DNA sequence: TTGACTTTAGAACAGGTGTTCCAGAACAAT
DNA sequence: ATTGTTCTGGAACACCTGTTCTAAAGTCAA
């Protein structure tokens, strides 16, 4: 077999090569090819032995298959299938063209100019929002809205960079004519008002690392007192995660040295609206 | 280590267990936990040795980590991460095409459950950011940064829904060790401190319609006194536009009955960073 | 300090990995 | 039929896998 060596780096190319080479392949290799395209996930994760059993061939045949496609061995071929898996897991078809556009845009722009700063923030913000959508389980928003709709008053707590988010939530809830209180610590008073929060109320708490200790303390204290706590934080390992009934985790993959507020703010607005809808029915 | 054996079958459960067990873990295990949540894909595909190198521990530590979570060994834990990967890859969670969602929302306000709320906000947020990028002239950010870098103190003013943006700017400027003052009107005092702002200072003012009268007044007064004013508002007809040296206009195309804060927040962060870069050279 | 205990590093191990190799089967052409 | 070539099965191999085990280091209380 001549089998010119293309060695496609990604799955799409691989499919192309495969369909090109397929007619010239031996029956066995054709069977493997069919299997590979029908079970790309297995190809990504299983071992050669397992796959060979699945196709009904010897492991060596799998290696030959990979080599027929120009790869050194099966492992190298498998890398392509794995690549497909990870790419699919963090890219949505509807948003893909955005990414590409942003990437292209970034590439074209010089990075340091002040015009580039905004472009970068826009790009990061979009990425941030995409990730928000990936990370938040659909039921969480509903669960949070339900908790909140059952509560007498809603308290909102967030300090430092999380304060804008907290403020906005309190503000918007008031616009909905709900009884919402912002726990600012004006005049150094935080814990005193926090102690009035009871099991019939609810607490929305926002904090990212490094988690402001006072905020965490209040959240934990409330949780211990059976107050429903809705948390917005970054991580499952956040101390807030343990102290919350519903916990939104907004991980940040940006390269920036500081946190983007775009995603938390967006979530906050969605939460308020979800609550509004919950109540109006 | 007690470490009751939960042995979560899926990634969500695993995250829960992890956050529960985290506080009781040894420092090394905590590091591994952090790494695992930050690199779930690597956890799914790499070998123990590779991952261990990534975290900076011995392979045995990875195994201990898995066992601490109740699994027999690392392989069993890895299966959970792999499960997540394949699940994500073949169920595109909602949001097939976000444009469709926007259209649907605009046209027939077909509400599609609380999960849909978030998807819509994400979609609107992305649209919002894209528009931000189109609307802001490249030079404006530079111009604003330059004005600000020449000023003695920076005052920031924004009320109601614009307050989060104002607060954030003041907060971030303080982090840059600049002299920034937030003009909140705690205790009903707004105009008094505002009167101290002089031509060598600068004012950043944020307001969308309907423009809070007090805010507009302060901005106009400052402008009349030759204070450099940087405005963030919604369109060219805004009263702030006339009272500003640099004016960012963030029009909103959304059909939502209220304003999205995603774009202004993003602009605010970009502005701060642009200023930071301006100063450091 | 001492002593009990936990945490960590690293070597050792058994089993499984991907790969190679070669003899024989299948096939096509003469 | 026979030859030349391709294809397939299966054993053999070197290596790397995940795991276990032990001893050293670290931690904390008294």
């Amino acid at each position: 077999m001549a089998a010119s060596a293309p060695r496609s780096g990604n799955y799409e190319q691989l499919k192309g090569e495969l369909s090109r080479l397929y007619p010239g392949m031996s029956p066995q290799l054709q069977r493997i090819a069919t299997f590979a395209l029908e079970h790309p996930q297995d190809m990504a994760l299983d071992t050669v032995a397992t796959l060979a059993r699945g196709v009904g061939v010897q492991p060596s045949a799998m290696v030959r298959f990979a080599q027929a496609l120009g790869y050194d061995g099966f492992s190298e071929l498998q890398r392509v299938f794995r690549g497909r898996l990870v790419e699919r897991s963090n890219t949505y078809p509807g948003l893909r063209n955005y990414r590409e556009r942003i990437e292209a845009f970034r590439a074209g722009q010089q990075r340091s100019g002040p015009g580039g700063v905004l472009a970068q923030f826009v790009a990061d913000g979009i990425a941030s929002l995409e990730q928000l959508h990936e990370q938040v389980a659909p039921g969480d928003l509903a669960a949070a809205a339900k908790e909140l709709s059952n509560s007498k008053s809603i308290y909102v707590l967030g300090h430092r960079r999380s304060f804008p988010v907290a403020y906005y939530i309190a503000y918007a809830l008031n616009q909905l004519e709900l009884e919402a209180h912002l726990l600012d610590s004006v005049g150094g008073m935080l814990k005193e008002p926090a102690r009035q929060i009871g099991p019939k109320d609810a607490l929305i708490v926002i904090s990212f690392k490094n988690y402001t200790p006072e905020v965490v303390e209040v959240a934990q204290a409330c949780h211990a007192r059976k107050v429903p706590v809705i948390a917005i934080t970054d991580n499952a390992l956040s101390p807030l995660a343990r102290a919350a009934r519903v916990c939104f985790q907004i991980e940040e993959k940006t390269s920036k040295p500081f946190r983007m507020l775009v995603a938390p703010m967006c979530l906050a607005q969605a939460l308020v609206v979800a609550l509004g809808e919950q109540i109006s029915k």
Side-chain angles (χ1 to χ4, degrees), chain A:
Chain A
M1 167 137 320
S4 58
R7 218 158 34 145
S8 323
N10 71 54
Y11 188 66
E12 289 306 315
Q13 288 170 27
L14 173 63
K15 273 207 296 198
E17 281 307 317
L18 213 42
S19 85
R20 193 173 66 82
L21 265 28
Y22 185 84
M25 281 178 166
S26 78
Q28 193 182 47
L29 291 192
Q30 289 189 345
R31 271 187 30 231
I32 298 176
T34 308
F35 180 92
L37 291 179
E38 278 172 2
H39 308 274
Q41 297 183 146
D42 298 337
M43 289 293 286
L45 297 178
D46 288 352
T47 71
V48 167
T50 309
L51 290 167
R53 219 174 306 126
V55 191
V57 299
Q58 290 288 331
S60 47
M62 303 299 290
V63 177
R64 277 198 297 269
F65 174 70
Q67 286 167 342
L69 284 154
Y71 300 95
D72 283 353
F74 181 79
S75 309
E76 204 177 337
L77 169 66
Q78 193 173 46
R79 231 170 278 146
V80 177
F81 283 89
R82 294 191 165 187
R84 183 194 87 113
L85 213 55
V86 310
E87 186 162 338
R88 278 187 144 223
S89 92
N90 50 23
T91 310
Y92 295 96
L95 297 175
R96 170 158 25 219
N97 46 6
Y98 259 105
R99 283 229 176 135
E100 285 169 5
R101 225 197 299 181
I102 292 296
E103 292 302 327
F105 184 81
R106 264 192 204 172
Q109 203 95 17
Q110 82 270 21
R111 204 148 295 202
S112 49
V117 171
L118 182 61
Q120 252 192 9
F121 271 90
V122 168
D124 277 6
I126 290 176
S128 202
L129 288 176
E130 284 177 24
Q131 217 183 339
L132 169 70
H133 180 251
E134 287 168 25
Q135 285 182 346
V136 170
D140 279 358
L141 203 65
K146 194 159 181 212
E147 287 285 2
L148 293 173
S149 69
N150 292 330
S151 59
K152 197 156 59 68
S153 326
I154 299 171
Y155 292 83
V156 194
L157 171 60
H159 275 183
R160 303 174 65 84
R161 65 167 63 73
S162 306
F163 180 74
V165 181
Y167 174 92
Y168 176 78
I169 292 176
Y171 167 81
L173 292 180
N174 279 319
Q175 297 292 96
L176 288 177
E177 305 191 4
L178 292 172
E179 198 184 321
H181 305 282
L182 179 63
L183 293 173
D184 49 19
S185 46
V186 170
M189 298 243 303
L190 173 60
K191 292 188 185 161
E192 291 75 4
R195 230 177 267 133
Q196 293 185 353
I197 311 175
K200 302 212 155 176
D201 302 320
L203 174 69
I204 302 176
V205 55
I206 305 107
S207 187
F208 304 102
K209 62 184 158 233
N210 346 16
Y211 316 99
T212 319
E214 320 142 77
V215 171
V216 174
E217 273 174 43
V218 170
Q220 284 169 342
C222 284
H223 184 63
R225 265 184 287 131
K226 311 277 187 223
V227 177
V229 176
I230 314 291
I232 299 178
T233 185
D234 44 13
N235 213 300
L237 303 180
S238 156
L240 289 186
R242 254 162 281 124
R245 292 239 182 117
V246 183
C247 178
F248 297 99
Q249 290 152 29
I250 310 181
E251 199 97 52
E252 191 98 308
K253 266 196 272 207
T254 179
S255 54
K256 293 222 171 356
F258 54 88
R259 167 159 278 276
M260 294 276 295
L261 279 180
V262 162
M265 214 65 197
C266 184
L267 177 61
Q269 295 198 293
L271 179 59
V272 169
V273 168
L275 175 55
E277 287 186 359
Q278 169 81 23
I279 284 175
S280 70
K281 64 184 181 190

